Each structure stands twice: as structure tokens, then as C-alpha cells.
Amino acid sequence: PRTVLTTPRTARNTTQRIPAMITHSNKQKGKMEVKRAYVLTKNGYEVEVARSVAQARLLLAERPPYDLLLLDVTLPDGTGFSVCEQVRRTGSAVPILFLTAADEETSVIRGLDCGGDDYLTKPFKLGELCSRIRALLRRAGMPRQEEALCSGPLRIDLLGSKATLDGHPLELTGMEYRLLCVLVRNANRIVTRGALLDMLWDGNGNFVDDNTLSVYMRRLRGKVEQDPSHPEHLLTIRGFGYQWKEAGE
């Protein structure tokens, strides 16, 4: 699923990514929005963040359609209501969830009247946000979020954020877990180092550098390969990046 904190394009494939757009109003909220984006990304959503009405409109105009929009009511150059109204004028039925600072009846009524599907009052728990998103996507007819990734004896429990190999738990760090998910989702395809570096930012918004990525890959290979010096699955494609090779391929 893709969500503006929603992403405009929908990748319709077996990994089931839902694009989403998130809007938020000021720099002070930045850390919370990073955390929301991180949690949604970890739950299988592709997320794009717009920090103003103008930026949201630009994303909506330039990107493929989003599967979900999360709109902050108050933005630096306007309101989320205007974004919602613009989207509805185009005939789009994309689910829209408003994030409001206060449970004010007038704001709630206006949000629903202008085309919003639901609203959440801040502060709210991220688990509740994910539940609301799943409910909206179900109503919109989106497929269920995948619960696991499997590759031979490897099983990744996406809901529990854990992995097993031959039934035995793998002791993975958060970064190793995310790396493994990306590679297995793209099994038998090369994932470039640049793509991995773009995807694997941490929860504080810091980016992983090239040398650190190499260290993580070496550690991950030591946990998923029987003989890390002669890997069968987690392969380095020199000059390009990495590839998770399915057994028998």
C-alpha cells in the first residue's frame, strides 16, 4: 500500500506496496512525521511526505495515483481541506484520513464534508493509525497486507518483525531485518547500492553511508548463509549491488 504522508504511485506487484502521502505543518513536528513514516514503511507502505499545500499539489500532479492520503489539517500555506477538495474535484475516490490537532466538531465536520473518509485526533498511537489505514484500504477494496515473506527455509514474519531460518529464530538488528526484507521482496533481481542507501534510513532520519552498508551486508550474510565465504543466496553483484537468489534459480 502506498500512502500523502502519502505516495502517489501504486506499485501493483506481488510485494503489495501501497503508496501514501503525509502532510505536516511545521518543523517542530518533523521528528514525529519521521517516526510515522518509518513505522508505515516498516509495515510495507511506500511513503512520501509533503510539507505544504503547494508541495502536496505538486506531488499529486507529477506522480502516479496514491492509494491513501494522510492530511494534516493545518499547513504553512493553507489547509489539508483544500488538498482534499482538489483531489475530489478530479473524481478520485482515494481514501483520505485527516490528522487534526483538536477534536473540534467544526473541523471534523468540514473534513468529512469536503470528502475525507476518516480523522484522527492528535496525539494518537501509531498502532491506531495503522489500524485506521488498514480499515480504509479494506473499504476501498485494496488487497490485504502481506503477512510473511518466504524463500526456501527462510520465513520473514512481517507482522511480528522477525525472521526464522529452518524454523530457528534469526537474531537480526533492525537494519539487518530491513535489508533482508528489501532483498527477499526483490528476489532474483539486483538491488543497487544506491537504492538500498535511499531506502534504509534509520528512525532518526539519518542515512546509512556506503561503508556501513557493506558492514551490515557482511553481518547479515553471516546469519543467513551456511558458508558466508561462499554464499548461495545473498550475493554481491560487483559494480551494481546485491541480489537475493532463490533456491533452485
Side-chain angles (χ1 to χ4, degrees):
R2 205 171 114 206
T3 61
V4 160
L5 277 263
T6 305
T7 301
R9 63 179 173 279
T10 304
R12 303 289 186 185
N13 56 34
T14 56
T15 66
Q16 197 218 328
R17 312 309 295 276
I18 293 179
M21 181 194 291
I22 299 175
T23 64
H24 70 87
S25 56
N26 58 43
K27 293 181 179 178
Q28 282 67 43
K29 295 182 181 179
K31 289 185 178 179
M32 177 55 69
E33 300 310 327
V34 166
K35 189 173 182 180
R36 288 177 194 160
Y38 169 74
V39 169
L40 292 178
T41 301
K42 190 175 180 180
N43 278 271
Y45 300 93
E46 293 178 3
V47 177
E48 287 187 5
V49 177
R51 293 175 173 82
S52 66
V53 170
Q55 189 175 359
R57 286 174 173 167
L58 186 63
L59 287 173
L60 289 165
E62 293 183 345
R63 308 279 189 173
Y66 287 98
D67 292 328
L68 176 73
L69 302 182
L70 306 183
L71 300 179
D72 205 314
V73 169
T74 305
L75 295 166
D77 56 346
T79 69
F81 301 137
S82 64
V83 178
C84 179
E85 289 166 350
Q86 176 186 334
V87 170
R88 293 303 186 227
R89 280 197 297 268
T90 68
S92 171
V94 59
I96 296 177
L97 174 61
F98 278 107
L99 308 179
T100 66
D103 192 11
E104 298 177 356
E105 185 178 1
T106 54
S107 292
V108 173
I109 292 174
R110 183 177 178 189
L112 297 177
D113 283 349
C114 75
D117 297 284
D118 200 356
Y119 72 95
L120 262 180
T121 302
K122 304 173 189 177
F124 51 80
K125 295 182 178 180
L126 293 176
E128 182 181 4
L129 174 62
C130 291
S131 294
R132 295 289 187 95
I133 288 174
R134 286 193 292 270
L136 284 175
L137 293 174
R138 281 197 301 272
R139 277 185 250 159
M142 291 296 296
R144 287 176 59 85
Q145 184 180 339
E146 59 185 339
E147 297 182 358
L149 295 172
C150 297
S151 177
L154 174 69
R155 186 179 190 279
I156 302 173
D157 177 357
L158 296 173
L159 300 183
S161 297
K162 56 188 177 182
T164 57
L165 186 64
D166 288 320
H168 301 292
L170 288 174
E171 299 296 329
L172 302 175
T173 66
M175 188 65 72
E176 290 166 351
Y177 173 80
R178 281 184 278 162
L179 271 170
L180 188 60
C181 287
V182 170
L183 292 167
V184 174
R185 275 197 174 105
N186 293 279
N188 301 317
R189 290 182 286 183
I190 297 173
V191 183
T192 66
R193 293 181 69 88
L196 288 172
L197 291 171
D198 286 342
M199 286 186 277
L200 298 178
W201 47 279
D202 68 21
N204 295 317
N206 299 314
F207 289 86
V208 177
D209 63 33
D210 198 65
N211 290 333
T212 305
L213 176 60
S214 297
V215 172
Y216 279 123
M217 296 301 291
R218 185 165 60 250
R219 290 178 179 173
L220 181 58
R221 187 174 283 127
K223 297 178 180 182
V224 300
E225 295 283 1
Q226 289 187 352
D227 182 0
S229 60
H230 296 89
E232 297 180 0
H233 302 292
L234 210 175
L235 308 180
T236 298
I237 310 299
R238 299 202 178 278
F240 293 95
Y242 299 93
Q243 180 185 54
W244 180 267
K245 188 172 182 180
E246 296 270 18
E249 292 292 329

